[in-house]
Coordinates of all heavy atoms in Angstrom, one line a residue:
M1 N 33.4 -34.1 -1.3 CA 32.5 -33.4 -2.2 C 31.8 -34.5 -3.0 O 32.4 -35.2 -3.7 CB 33.2 -32.4 -2.9 CG 32.4 -31.3 -3.6 SD 31.2 -30.5 -2.6 CE 32.4 -29.3 -1.7
P2 N 30.5 -34.4 -3.1 CA 29.8 -35.4 -4.0 C 30.1 -35.1 -5.5 O 30.4 -34.0 -5.8 CB 28.2 -35.2 -3.7 CG 28.3 -33.7 -3.1 CD 29.6 -33.5 -2.4
S3 N 29.9 -36.0 -6.3 CA 30.1 -35.9 -7.8 C 29.3 -34.9 -8.4 O 29.6 -34.3 -9.3 CB 30.1 -37.3 -8.4 OG 28.8 -37.6 -8.5
C4 N 27.9 -35.0 -8.0 CA 27.0 -34.0 -8.5 C 26.6 -34.3 -9.9 O 26.1 -33.4 -10.6 CB 27.5 -32.5 -8.2 SG 27.3 -31.8 -6.6
Q5 N 26.8 -35.5 -10.4 CA 26.5 -35.7 -11.8 C 24.9 -35.6 -12.0 O 24.6 -35.4 -13.2 CB 26.9 -37.0 -12.2 CG 28.4 -37.1 -12.6 CD 29.0 -38.5 -12.5 OE1 28.4 -39.4 -12.0 NE2 30.2 -38.7 -12.9
E6 N 24.2 -35.7 -10.9 CA 22.8 -35.7 -11.1 C 22.3 -34.2 -11.3 O 21.1 -34.0 -11.8 CB 22.2 -36.1 -9.7 CG 22.3 -37.7 -9.3 CD 23.7 -37.7 -8.5 OE1 24.6 -36.8 -8.5 OE2 23.8 -38.9 -8.0
A7 N 23.2 -33.3 -11.2 CA 22.8 -31.8 -11.5 C 22.8 -31.6 -12.9 O 22.1 -30.5 -13.4 CB 23.8 -30.9 -10.8
A8 N 23.3 -32.4 -13.8 CA 23.4 -32.2 -15.1 C 22.1 -32.1 -15.8 O 21.1 -32.9 -15.6 CB 24.2 -33.3 -15.8
G9 N 21.9 -31.1 -16.6 CA 20.6 -30.9 -17.3 C 19.7 -30.1 -16.4 O 18.5 -29.6 -16.9
L10 N 20.0 -29.6 -15.2 CA 19.1 -28.8 -14.4 C 19.3 -27.4 -14.7 O 20.3 -26.9 -15.2 CB 19.2 -29.0 -12.9 CG 18.9 -30.5 -12.4 CD1 19.0 -30.6 -10.9 CD2 17.5 -30.8 -12.9
M11 N 18.4 -26.6 -14.2 CA 18.6 -25.1 -14.3 C 17.9 -24.5 -13.2 O 17.0 -25.0 -12.5 CB 17.9 -24.5 -15.6 CG 16.5 -24.9 -15.9 SD 15.8 -24.4 -17.4 CE 15.1 -22.9 -16.9
M12 N 18.4 -23.2 -12.8 CA 17.8 -22.4 -11.6 C 17.8 -21.0 -11.9 O 18.5 -20.5 -12.7 CB 18.5 -22.7 -10.4 CG 20.0 -22.3 -10.4 SD 20.6 -22.5 -8.7 CE 22.4 -22.3 -9.1
R13 N 16.9 -20.3 -11.3 CA 16.8 -18.9 -11.3 C 17.9 -18.4 -10.5 O 18.1 -18.8 -9.5 CB 15.5 -18.5 -10.8 CG 14.9 -17.2 -11.2 CD 14.5 -17.2 -12.8 NE 14.3 -15.8 -13.0 CZ 13.3 -15.2 -12.8 NH1 12.3 -15.7 -12.2 NH2 13.2 -13.8 -13.2
W14 N 18.4 -17.3 -10.9 CA 19.6 -16.5 -10.1 C 19.2 -15.1 -10.2 O 19.8 -14.6 -11.2 CB 21.0 -17.0 -10.5 CG 22.1 -16.5 -9.7 CD1 22.6 -15.4 -9.7 CD2 22.7 -17.4 -8.6 NE1 23.6 -15.3 -8.7 CE2 23.7 -16.5 -8.1 CE3 22.5 -18.6 -8.1 CZ2 24.4 -17.0 -7.0 CZ3 23.2 -19.1 -7.1 CH2 24.2 -18.4 -6.4
Q15 N 18.7 -14.6 -9.2 CA 18.2 -13.2 -9.4 C 19.2 -12.1 -8.9 O 19.1 -11.0 -9.4 CB 16.8 -13.1 -8.7 CG 15.8 -13.7 -9.5 CD 14.4 -13.5 -8.9 OE1 14.1 -14.1 -7.8 NE2 13.7 -12.8 -9.4
Q16 N 20.1 -12.4 -8.1 CA 21.0 -11.7 -7.6 C 22.2 -11.5 -8.4 O 22.4 -12.4 -9.2 CB 21.4 -11.9 -6.1 CG 22.2 -13.3 -6.0 CD 21.2 -14.4 -5.7 OE1 20.3 -14.7 -6.5 NE2 21.3 -15.1 -4.7
P17 N 23.0 -10.4 -8.3 CA 24.3 -10.4 -9.1 C 25.1 -11.6 -8.9 O 25.2 -12.2 -7.8 CB 25.0 -9.2 -8.6 CG 23.9 -8.3 -8.0 CD 22.9 -9.3 -7.5
H18 N 25.8 -11.9 -9.9 CA 26.7 -13.2 -9.9 C 28.0 -12.8 -9.6 O 28.8 -12.2 -10.4 CB 26.5 -13.8 -11.2 CG 26.3 -15.3 -11.2 ND1 26.8 -16.1 -10.3 CD2 25.4 -16.0 -11.8 CE1 26.3 -17.3 -10.6 NE2 25.6 -17.3 -11.4
V19 N 28.6 -13.1 -8.3 CA 29.9 -12.7 -8.1 C 30.9 -14.0 -8.1 O 30.6 -14.9 -7.4 CB 30.0 -12.1 -6.6 CG1 31.4 -11.7 -6.4 CG2 29.1 -10.9 -6.5
I20 N 31.8 -14.0 -9.0 CA 32.7 -15.1 -9.2 C 34.1 -14.6 -9.0 O 34.5 -13.8 -9.9 CB 32.4 -15.8 -10.6 CG1 31.0 -16.3 -10.7 CG2 33.3 -16.8 -10.8 CD1 30.5 -16.4 -12.1
G21 N 34.9 -15.2 -8.2 CA 36.2 -14.8 -8.0 C 36.3 -13.2 -7.7 O 37.2 -12.6 -8.1
G22 N 35.3 -12.7 -7.0 CA 35.3 -11.3 -6.5 C 34.9 -10.3 -7.7 O 34.9 -9.2 -7.3
E23 N 34.5 -10.8 -8.7 CA 34.0 -9.9 -9.8 C 32.5 -10.2 -10.1 O 32.1 -11.2 -10.2 CB 34.9 -10.0 -11.2 CG 36.2 -9.6 -11.0 CD 37.0 -9.8 -12.3 OE1 36.4 -9.7 -13.3 OE2 38.2 -10.0 -12.2
V24 N 31.7 -9.1 -10.3 CA 30.4 -9.3 -10.8 C 30.3 -9.5 -12.3 O 31.0 -8.9 -13.1 CB 29.7 -8.0 -10.5 CG1 28.1 -8.2 -10.9 CG2 29.6 -7.8 -9.0
R25 N 29.7 -10.7 -12.6 CA 29.6 -11.1 -14.0 C 28.5 -10.2 -14.7 O 27.6 -10.0 -14.2 CB 29.1 -12.5 -14.1 CG 30.2 -13.5 -14.0 CD 31.1 -13.4 -15.1 NE 32.3 -14.3 -15.0 CZ 33.4 -14.1 -14.4 NH1 33.6 -12.9 -13.9 NH2 34.3 -15.0 -14.3
T26 N 28.8 -9.8 -15.9 CA 27.9 -8.9 -16.7 C 27.6 -9.7 -17.9 O 28.5 -10.3 -18.5 CB 28.3 -7.4 -16.9 OG1 29.6 -7.5 -17.5 CG2 28.4 -6.7 -15.6
C27 N 26.6 -9.5 -18.6 CA 26.2 -10.2 -19.9 C 27.0 -9.6 -21.0 O 27.0 -8.3 -21.2 CB 24.7 -10.1 -20.1 SG 24.3 -10.7 -21.7
P28 N 27.9 -10.2 -21.7 CA 28.6 -9.5 -22.9 C 27.7 -9.1 -23.9 O 28.0 -8.3 -24.7 CB 29.5 -10.7 -23.4 CG 28.9 -11.9 -23.0 CD 28.0 -11.6 -21.7
G29 N 26.4 -9.6 -24.0 CA 25.5 -9.1 -25.0 C 24.8 -7.8 -24.7 O 24.6 -7.0 -25.5
C30 N 24.4 -7.6 -23.4 CA 23.5 -6.4 -23.1 C 23.9 -5.7 -21.7 O 23.6 -4.7 -21.4 CB 22.1 -6.8 -23.0 SG 21.7 -8.0 -21.7
G31 N 25.0 -6.5 -21.1 CA 25.5 -5.7 -19.9 C 24.8 -5.8 -18.6 O 25.1 -5.2 -17.5
V32 N 23.7 -6.7 -18.6 CA 22.9 -6.8 -17.4 C 23.8 -7.6 -16.3 O 24.8 -8.4 -16.8 CB 21.6 -7.5 -17.5 CG1 20.7 -6.6 -18.4 CG2 21.8 -8.9 -17.9
Y33 N 23.5 -7.5 -15.1 CA 24.3 -8.2 -14.1 C 23.5 -8.9 -13.0 O 24.1 -9.4 -12.1 CB 25.3 -7.2 -13.4 CG 24.6 -6.1 -12.7 CD1 24.1 -6.3 -11.2 CD2 24.4 -4.9 -13.2 CE1 23.5 -5.3 -10.6 CE2 23.6 -3.9 -12.6 CZ 23.2 -4.1 -11.3 OH 22.6 -3.2 -10.6
Q34 N 22.2 -9.0 -13.3 CA 21.4 -9.8 -12.4 C 20.1 -10.4 -13.3 O 20.0 -10.1 -14.4 CB 20.8 -9.0 -11.3 CG 20.1 -7.8 -11.6 CD 19.9 -6.9 -10.3 OE1 20.2 -7.2 -9.3 NE2 19.2 -5.8 -10.7
D35 N 19.4 -11.2 -12.5 CA 18.3 -11.9 -13.1 C 18.8 -12.9 -14.2 O 18.3 -12.8 -15.2 CB 17.3 -10.9 -13.7 CG 15.9 -11.6 -13.8 OD1 15.6 -12.7 -13.2 OD2 14.9 -10.9 -14.2
W36 N 19.4 -14.0 -13.8 CA 20.0 -14.9 -14.7 C 19.3 -16.1 -14.5 O 18.7 -16.5 -13.5 CB 21.5 -15.2 -14.4 CG 22.5 -14.2 -14.3 CD1 22.9 -13.5 -13.2 CD2 23.1 -13.6 -15.4 NE1 23.7 -12.5 -13.6 CE2 24.0 -12.6 -15.0 CE3 23.2 -14.0 -16.7 CZ2 24.8 -11.8 -15.6 CZ3 24.1 -13.1 -17.5 CH2 24.9 -12.1 -17.0
I37 N 19.3 -17.1 -15.5 CA 19.0 -18.4 -15.5 C 20.4 -19.1 -15.6 O 21.2 -18.8 -16.5 CB 18.1 -18.9 -16.7 CG1 16.8 -18.2 -16.7 CG2 17.8 -20.4 -16.6 CD1 15.8 -18.4 -15.6
V38 N 20.6 -20.1 -14.7 CA 21.8 -20.8 -14.7 C 21.6 -22.2 -15.1 O 20.7 -22.9 -14.6 CB 22.4 -20.9 -13.1 CG1 23.8 -21.7 -13.2 CG2 22.6 -19.4 -12.6
F39 N 22.2 -22.7 -16.1 CA 22.2 -24.0 -16.7 C 23.3 -24.9 -16.3 O 24.5 -24.3 -16.4 CB 22.1 -24.1 -18.3 CG 20.9 -23.3 -18.7 CD1 20.9 -22.0 -19.2 CD2 19.7 -24.1 -19.1 CE1 19.8 -21.4 -19.6 CE2 18.7 -23.5 -19.5 CZ 18.6 -22.2 -19.8
C40 N 23.0 -26.1 -15.9 CA 24.1 -27.0 -15.7 C 24.1 -28.1 -16.8 O 23.1 -28.9 -16.8 CB 24.1 -27.7 -14.3 SG 25.3 -28.7 -13.9
L41 N 25.0 -28.2 -17.6 CA 25.0 -29.2 -18.7 C 25.7 -30.5 -18.4 O 26.4 -30.6 -17.4 CB 25.6 -28.5 -20.0 CG 24.9 -27.3 -20.5 CD1 25.5 -26.9 -21.8 CD2 23.5 -27.3 -20.6
R42 N 25.5 -31.5 -19.2 CA 26.0 -32.8 -19.0 C 27.5 -32.9 -19.0 O 28.1 -33.8 -18.3 CB 25.5 -33.8 -20.1 CG 23.9 -33.9 -20.0 CD 23.5 -35.3 -20.4 NE 22.0 -35.3 -20.2 CZ 21.6 -35.7 -19.1 NH1 22.3 -35.9 -18.0 NH2 20.2 -35.7 -18.9
D43 N 28.1 -32.0 -19.5 CA 29.6 -32.0 -19.5 C 30.2 -31.1 -18.3 O 31.3 -30.9 -18.3 CB 30.2 -31.5 -20.8 CG 29.9 -30.0 -21.0 OD1 29.1 -29.5 -20.2 OD2 30.3 -29.5 -22.1
D44 N 29.2 -31.0 -17.3 CA 29.6 -30.3 -16.1 C 29.9 -28.8 -16.3 O 30.2 -28.0 -15.4 CB 30.9 -30.8 -15.4 CG 30.4 -31.9 -14.6 OD1 29.4 -32.4 -14.5 OD2 31.4 -32.4 -13.7
S45 N 29.6 -28.2 -17.5 CA 29.8 -26.8 -17.7 C 28.6 -26.0 -17.2 O 27.4 -26.6 -17.3 CB 30.1 -26.5 -19.3 OG 28.9 -26.7 -20.0
I46 N 28.8 -24.8 -16.8 CA 27.8 -23.9 -16.4 C 27.5 -22.8 -17.4 O 28.5 -22.2 -17.8 CB 28.1 -23.4 -15.0 CG1 28.2 -24.4 -14.0 CG2 27.1 -22.3 -14.5 CD1 27.0 -25.2 -13.7
W47 N 26.3 -22.5 -17.8 CA 26.0 -21.5 -18.7 C 25.1 -20.5 -18.0 O 24.2 -21.0 -17.2 CB 25.3 -22.1 -20.0 CG 26.3 -22.8 -20.8 CD1 26.8 -24.1 -20.5 CD2 26.8 -22.4 -22.1 NE1 27.6 -24.5 -21.5 CE2 27.6 -23.5 -22.6 CE3 26.6 -21.3 -22.9 CZ2 28.3 -23.3 -23.8 CZ3 27.3 -21.2 -24.0 CH2 28.1 -22.2 -24.5
L48 N 25.3 -19.2 -18.3 CA 24.4 -18.2 -17.7 C 23.6 -17.7 -18.9 O 24.3 -17.3 -19.9 CB 25.3 -17.1 -17.1 CG 26.3 -17.6 -16.0 CD1 27.0 -16.2 -15.5 CD2 25.6 -18.1 -14.8
R49 N 22.4 -17.3 -18.5 CA 21.6 -16.8 -19.7 C 20.8 -15.5 -19.0 O 20.2 -15.8 -18.1 CB 20.4 -17.9 -20.1 CG 19.5 -17.3 -21.1 CD 18.5 -18.4 -21.5 NE 17.6 -18.0 -22.3 CZ 17.1 -18.8 -23.3 NH1 17.5 -19.9 -23.5 NH2 16.1 -18.2 -24.2
C50 N 20.9 -14.5 -19.7 CA 20.2 -13.2 -19.2 C 18.8 -13.3 -19.6 O 18.4 -13.9 -20.4 CB 21.0 -12.2 -19.6 SG 20.7 -11.6 -21.4
R51 N 18.1 -12.2 -19.2 CA 16.7 -12.0 -19.5 C 16.5 -11.8 -21.0 O 15.5 -12.2 -21.5 CB 16.2 -10.8 -18.8 CG 15.5 -11.1 -17.5 CD 15.0 -9.7 -16.9 NE 16.2 -8.9 -16.6 CZ 16.3 -7.7 -16.0 NH1 15.1 -7.2 -15.8 NH2 17.3 -7.0 -16.0
A52 N 17.4 -11.2 -21.8 CA 17.3 -11.1 -23.1 C 17.6 -12.4 -23.9 O 17.6 -12.2 -25.1 CB 18.2 -9.9 -23.5
G53 N 18.1 -13.4 -23.2 CA 18.3 -14.6 -24.0 C 19.7 -14.7 -24.4 O 20.0 -15.8 -25.1
H54 N 20.7 -14.0 -24.0 CA 22.1 -14.2 -24.3 C 22.6 -15.3 -23.5 O 22.4 -15.3 -22.3 CB 22.9 -12.9 -24.2 CG 22.4 -11.7 -24.9 ND1 22.1 -10.5 -24.2 CD2 22.2 -11.6 -26.1 CE1 21.7 -9.8 -25.1 NE2 21.6 -10.3 -26.3
E55 N 23.3 -16.2 -24.0 CA 23.9 -17.4 -23.2 C 25.5 -17.2 -23.2 O 26.1 -16.9 -24.3 CB 23.5 -18.6 -23.9 CG 22.1 -19.0 -23.6 CD 21.5 -20.1 -24.2 OE1 22.3 -20.7 -24.9 OE2 20.2 -20.3 -24.1
T56 N 26.0 -17.4 -22.0 CA 27.4 -17.3 -21.9 C 28.1 -18.4 -21.0 O 27.4 -18.7 -20.1 CB 27.8 -16.0 -21.1 OG1 27.1 -14.9 -21.7 CG2 29.3 -15.7 -21.2
K57 N 29.0 -19.1 -21.6 CA 29.5 -20.2 -20.7 C 30.4 -19.5 -19.7 O 31.1 -18.5 -19.8 CB 30.5 -21.0 -21.7 CG 31.0 -22.3 -20.8 CD 31.8 -23.2 -21.7 CE 32.4 -24.3 -20.9 NZ 33.0 -25.3 -21.8
E58 N 30.3 -20.1 -18.5 CA 30.9 -19.6 -17.3 C 32.1 -20.6 -16.9 O 31.7 -21.5 -16.1 CB 29.9 -19.2 -16.3 CG 30.5 -18.8 -14.9 CD 31.6 -17.7 -15.1 OE1 31.2 -16.5 -15.5 OE2 32.8 -17.9 -14.9
P59 N 33.1 -20.3 -17.2 CA 34.2 -21.3 -17.0 C 34.8 -21.3 -15.5 O 35.2 -22.5 -15.1 CB 35.5 -20.9 -17.9 CG 35.3 -19.5 -18.1 CD 33.7 -19.3 -18.1
G60 N 34.3 -20.3 -14.7 CA 34.7 -20.3 -13.3 C 33.8 -21.2 -12.5 O 34.0 -21.4 -11.3
L61 N 32.8 -21.8 -13.0 CA 31.8 -22.7 -12.3 C 31.6 -24.0 -12.9 O 31.8 -24.2 -14.0 CB 30.4 -21.9 -12.3 CG 30.4 -20.5 -11.7 CD1 29.0 -19.9 -12.0 CD2 30.8 -20.5 -10.4
D62 N 31.3 -24.9 -12.0 CA 31.0 -26.3 -12.6 C 29.7 -26.9 -11.8 O 29.1 -26.2 -10.9 CB 32.2 -27.2 -12.3 CG 32.7 -27.1 -10.9 OD1 31.9 -26.9 -10.0 OD2 33.9 -27.7 -10.7
A63 N 29.6 -28.2 -12.0 CA 28.4 -28.8 -11.4 C 28.5 -28.9 -9.9 O 27.4 -28.8 -9.2 CB 28.2 -30.3 -11.9
V64 N 29.6 -28.9 -9.4 CA 29.8 -28.9 -8.0 C 29.3 -27.6 -7.3 O 28.7 -27.5 -6.4 CB 31.2 -29.2 -7.5 CG1 31.4 -29.0 -6.0 CG2 31.7 -30.5 -8.0
W65 N 29.7 -26.6 -8.0 CA 29.2 -25.2 -7.6 C 27.7 -25.2 -7.6 O 27.0 -24.7 -6.7 CB 29.8 -24.1 -8.5 CG 29.1 -22.8 -8.2 CD1 29.6 -21.9 -7.3 CD2 28.1 -22.3 -8.7 NE1 28.8 -20.8 -7.2 CE2 27.8 -21.0 -8.2 CE3 27.1 -22.8 -9.8 CZ2 26.8 -20.2 -8.6 CZ3 26.0 -22.0 -10.1 CH2 25.9 -20.6 -9.5
Y66 N 27.1 -25.7 -8.7 CA 25.8 -25.7 -8.9 C 25.0 -26.3 -7.8 O 24.1 -25.9 -7.2 CB 25.3 -26.4 -10.2 CG 23.8 -26.2 -10.5 CD1 23.5 -25.2 -11.5 CD2 23.0 -27.1 -10.0 CE1 22.2 -25.2 -11.8 CE2 21.7 -27.0 -10.2 CZ 21.2 -26.0 -11.1 OH 19.9 -25.9 -11.4
C67 N 25.6 -27.6 -7.4 CA 24.9 -28.4 -6.2 C 25.1 -27.6 -5.1 O 24.0 -27.6 -4.3 CB 25.7 -29.6 -6.1 SG 25.5 -30.8 -7.3
R68 N 26.3 -26.9 -4.8 CA 26.3 -26.3 -3.5 C 25.3 -25.1 -3.4 O 25.0 -24.6 -2.3 CB 27.9 -25.7 -3.4 CG 28.5 -26.2 -2.2 CD 29.8 -25.5 -2.2 NE 30.8 -26.1 -3.0 CZ 31.8 -25.5 -3.6 NH1 31.8 -24.1 -3.5 NH2 32.7 -26.1 -4.2
N69 N 25.0 -24.5 -4.5 CA 24.3 -23.3 -4.4 C 22.9 -23.3 -4.9 O 22.2 -22.3 -4.8 CB 25.0 -22.1 -5.4 CG 26.4 -21.8 -4.9 OD1 26.4 -20.9 -3.8 ND2 27.4 -22.3 -5.3
S70 N 22.5 -24.5 -5.4 CA 21.0 -24.5 -5.7 C 20.2 -24.7 -4.4 O 20.7 -25.6 -3.6 CB 20.8 -25.6 -6.6 OG 21.2 -26.9 -6.0
G71 N 19.3 -24.0 -4.2 CA 18.6 -23.9 -2.9 C 17.5 -25.0 -2.8 O 17.3 -25.8 -3.7
P72 N 16.8 -25.0 -1.6 CA 15.7 -25.9 -1.5 C 14.6 -25.8 -2.4 O 13.7 -26.7 -2.4 CB 15.3 -25.6 0.0 CG 16.0 -24.3 0.4 CD 17.1 -24.0 -0.5
V73 N 14.4 -24.7 -3.1 CA 13.4 -24.6 -4.1 C 13.6 -25.5 -5.2 O 12.7 -25.8 -6.1 CB 13.2 -23.1 -4.5 CG1 12.6 -22.2 -3.4 CG2 14.5 -22.6 -5.1
D74 N 14.8 -25.9 -5.4 CA 15.1 -26.7 -6.7 C 14.9 -28.2 -6.2 O 14.8 -28.6 -5.1 CB 16.7 -26.6 -7.1 CG 16.9 -25.1 -7.5 OD1 16.2 -24.8 -8.5 OD2 17.6 -24.5 -6.8
R75 N 14.8 -29.0 -7.3 CA 14.4 -30.4 -7.1 C 15.5 -31.1 -6.5 O 15.3 -32.1 -5.8 CB 13.9 -30.9 -8.4 CG 12.4 -30.7 -8.7 CD 12.1 -31.3 -10.0 NE 13.0 -30.8 -11.1 CZ 13.2 -31.3 -12.2 NH1 12.5 -32.3 -12.4 NH2 14.0 -30.9 -13.1
F76 N 16.7 -30.9 -6.8 CA 17.9 -31.7 -6.4 C 18.9 -30.8 -5.6 O 19.3 -29.8 -6.0 CB 18.5 -32.3 -7.6 CG 19.8 -33.0 -7.3 CD1 19.8 -34.2 -6.7 CD2 21.0 -32.3 -7.4 CE1 21.0 -34.7 -6.5 CE2 22.1 -32.8 -7.0 CZ 22.2 -34.2 -6.6
H77 N 19.3 -31.4 -4.6 CA 20.4 -31.0 -3.9 C 21.1 -32.2 -3.2 O 20.3 -33.1 -2.9 CB 20.2 -29.9 -3.0 CG 19.1 -29.9 -2.2 ND1 19.0 -30.6 -1.1 CD2 17.9 -29.3 -2.3 CE1 17.8 -30.4 -0.6 NE2 17.1 -29.6 -1.3
P78 N 22.4 -32.2 -3.0 CA 22.9 -33.4 -2.5 C 22.4 -33.9 -1.1 O 22.1 -35.1 -0.8 CB 24.5 -33.2 -2.4 CG 24.6 -31.7 -2.6 CD 23.4 -31.2 -3.3
T79 N 22.1 -32.9 -0.2 CA 21.6 -33.3 1.0 C 20.7 -32.0 1.4 O 21.0 -30.9 0.9 CB 22.7 -33.5 2.3 OG1 23.3 -32.2 2.4 CG2 23.6 -34.7 1.9
L80 N 19.8 -32.2 2.2 CA 19.0 -31.1 2.7 C 19.9 -30.0 3.4 O 19.8 -28.9 3.1 CB 18.0 -31.6 3.7 CG 16.9 -30.6 4.2 CD1 16.3 -29.9 3.0 CD2 16.0 -31.1 5.2
E81 N 20.8 -30.5 4.2 CA 21.7 -29.7 4.9 C 22.5 -28.8 3.9 O 22.5 -27.5 4.2 CB 22.5 -30.4 5.9 CG 23.6 -29.6 6.6 CD 22.9 -28.6 7.5 OE1 21.7 -28.9 8.0 OE2 23.4 -27.5 7.9
E82 N 23.0 -29.5 3.0 CA 23.7 -28.7 1.9 C 23.0 -27.6 1.2 O 23.3 -26.5 1.1 CB 24.2 -29.7 1.1 CG 25.3 -29.2 -0.1 CD 26.7 -29.5 0.5 OE1 26.9 -30.4 1.3 OE2 27.6 -28.8 0.0
G83 N 21.7 -28.0 1.0 CA 20.9 -27.0 0.2 C 20.6 -25.9 1.0 O 20.5 -24.8 0.6
L84 N 20.2 -26.2 2.3 CA 19.8 -25.1 3.3 C 21.0 -24.1 3.5 O 20.8 -22.9 3.6 CB 19.4 -25.7 4.5 CG 18.0 -26.4 4.4 CD1 17.6 -27.1 5.8 CD2 17.0 -25.4 4.1
R85 N 22.2 -24.7 3.6 CA 23.3 -23.9 3.9 C 23.5 -22.9 2.6 O 23.9 -21.8 2.8 CB 24.5 -24.7 4.1 CG 25.6 -24.2 4.9 CD 26.6 -25.1 5.5 NE 26.9 -26.1 4.6 CZ 27.1 -27.4 4.8 NH1 26.9 -27.8 6.0 NH2 27.5 -28.2 3.9
G86 N 23.3 -23.5 1.4 CA 23.6 -22.8 0.1 C 22.6 -21.5 0.1 O 22.8 -20.5 -0.1
A87 N 21.4 -21.9 0.5 CA 20.3 -20.8 0.5 C 20.5 -19.8 1.4 O 20.2 -18.6 1.2 CB 18.8 -21.6 0.8
R88 N 21.0 -20.0 2.6 CA 21.2 -19.0 3.6 C 22.4 -18.1 3.2 O 22.2 -16.9 3.4 CB 21.6 -19.7 5.0 CG 20.6 -19.5 6.0 CD 20.9 -20.1 7.4 NE 20.1 -21.2 7.6 CZ 20.5 -22.5 7.8 NH1 21.9 -22.9 7.8 NH2 19.7 -23.4 8.1
R89 N 23.4 -18.7 2.5 CA 24.5 -17.8 2.1 C 24.0 -17.0 1.0 O 24.4 -15.8 1.0 CB 25.6 -18.8 1.7 CG 26.8 -18.0 1.2 CD 28.1 -18.9 1.4 NE 27.9 -20.3 1.3 CZ 28.3 -21.1 0.4 NH1 28.7 -20.6 -0.7 NH2 27.9 -22.4 0.4
W90 N 23.3 -17.3 0.2 CA 23.1 -16.5 -1.1 C 21.7 -15.9 -1.1 O 21.4 -14.7 -1.7 CB 23.1 -17.4 -2.2 CG 24.4 -17.9 -2.6 CD1 24.9 -19.1 -2.3 CD2 25.5 -17.1 -3.1 NE1 26.3 -19.1 -2.7 CE2 26.8 -17.9 -3.1 CE3 25.5 -15.9 -3.6 CZ2 27.8 -17.5 -3.7 CZ3 26.9 -15.4 -4.0 CH2 28.0 -16.2 -4.1
R91 N 20.8 -16.4 -0.2 CA 19.4 -15.9 -0.1 C 19.1 -15.6 1.4 O 18.2 -16.5 1.9 CB 18.4 -16.8 -0.8 CG 18.6 -16.6 -2.4 CD 17.7 -17.5 -3.0 NE 18.3 -18.8 -3.1 CZ 18.1 -19.7 -4.1 NH1 17.1 -19.6 -4.9 NH2 18.7 -20.9 -4.1
P92 N 19.6 -14.8 2.0 CA 19.4 -14.7 3.5 C 18.1 -14.5 3.8 O 17.6 -15.0 4.9 CB 20.3 -13.3 3.9 CG 21.1 -13.1 2.7 CD 20.4 -13.7 1.5
H93 N 17.1 -14.1 3.2 CA 15.8 -13.9 3.5 C 15.0 -15.1 3.6 O 14.0 -15.2 4.1 CB 15.1 -12.9 2.6 CG 15.0 -13.5 1.1 ND1 16.1 -13.2 0.4 CD2 14.0 -14.0 0.4 CE1 15.8 -13.7 -0.9 NE2 14.6 -14.2 -0.8
L94 N 15.6 -16.3 3.0 CA 15.0 -17.6 3.1 C 15.5 -18.4 4.4 O 15.2 -19.6 4.4 CB 15.4 -18.4 1.8 CG 14.6 -17.8 0.5 CD1 14.9 -18.7 -0.6 CD2 13.1 -17.7 0.8
G95 N 16.5 -17.9 5.1 CA 17.2 -18.6 6.0 C 16.5 -18.9 7.4 O 17.1 -19.2 8.4
H96 N 15.1 -18.8 7.4 CA 14.5 -19.1 8.7 C 13.9 -20.4 8.8 O 13.3 -20.9 7.7 CB 13.5 -18.1 9.0 CG 14.1 -16.7 9.1 ND1 14.7 -16.3 10.3 CD2 14.2 -15.6 8.4 CE1 15.2 -15.1 10.2 NE2 14.8 -14.6 9.0
Ligands
LIG101 ZN1 22.2 -10.2 -22.4

């Protein structure tokens, strides 16, 4: 698995529900469960931000997860193959 340090400081749109460990994440501030912005910070922590601007640290995720799941629309992914695989898993309509 690549170190993915290059992912630090990036962010991506995450419009579908966020399922982590079999549970759908909801915003503790307003209860929404989709349309997130996902931030990857320099300390490898992942933060979720909802449409209303509430930010929540997500301890179940890290930069490696970010790399694996950021799709080809993002500027960085470890390899093209990796990016495409992530996109197909999470965004099936982009998988052609
Ligand atoms: Zn919220």
Side-chain angles (χ1 to χ4, degrees):
M1 197 50 81
S3 74
C4 282
Q5 279 158 352
E6 297 88 344
L10 296 185
M11 55 187 264
M12 65 173 162
R13 205 67 195 286
W14 190 275
Q15 288 181 287
Q16 62 272 55
H18 229 315
V19 182
I20 301 159
E23 289 179 30
V24 177
R25 280 291 179 272
T26 57
C27 174
C30 63
V32 300
Y33 59 89
Q34 56 188 0
D35 204 5
W36 304 95
I37 303 285
V38 180
F39 294 94
C40 181
L41 302 188
R42 297 212 172 276
D43 63 357
D44 274 10
S45 64
I46 298 291
W47 290 70
L48 304 178
R49 179 182 176 140
C50 76
R51 263 175 305 181
H54 305 122
E55 288 171 5
T56 314
K57 188 175 183 178
E58 178 45 68
L61 302 178
D62 58 17
V64 173
W65 172 90
Y66 187 99
C67 285
R68 234 188 282 142
N69 291 285
S70 59
V73 293
D74 296 297
R75 278 176 306 166
F76 171 80
H77 41 78
T79 66
L80 180 63
E81 179 59 27
E82 192 97 17
L84 291 175
R85 208 161 41 219
R88 249 181 247 123
R89 180 149 28 102
W90 293 100
R91 284 173 279 203
H93 60 284
L94 293 181
H96 295 287

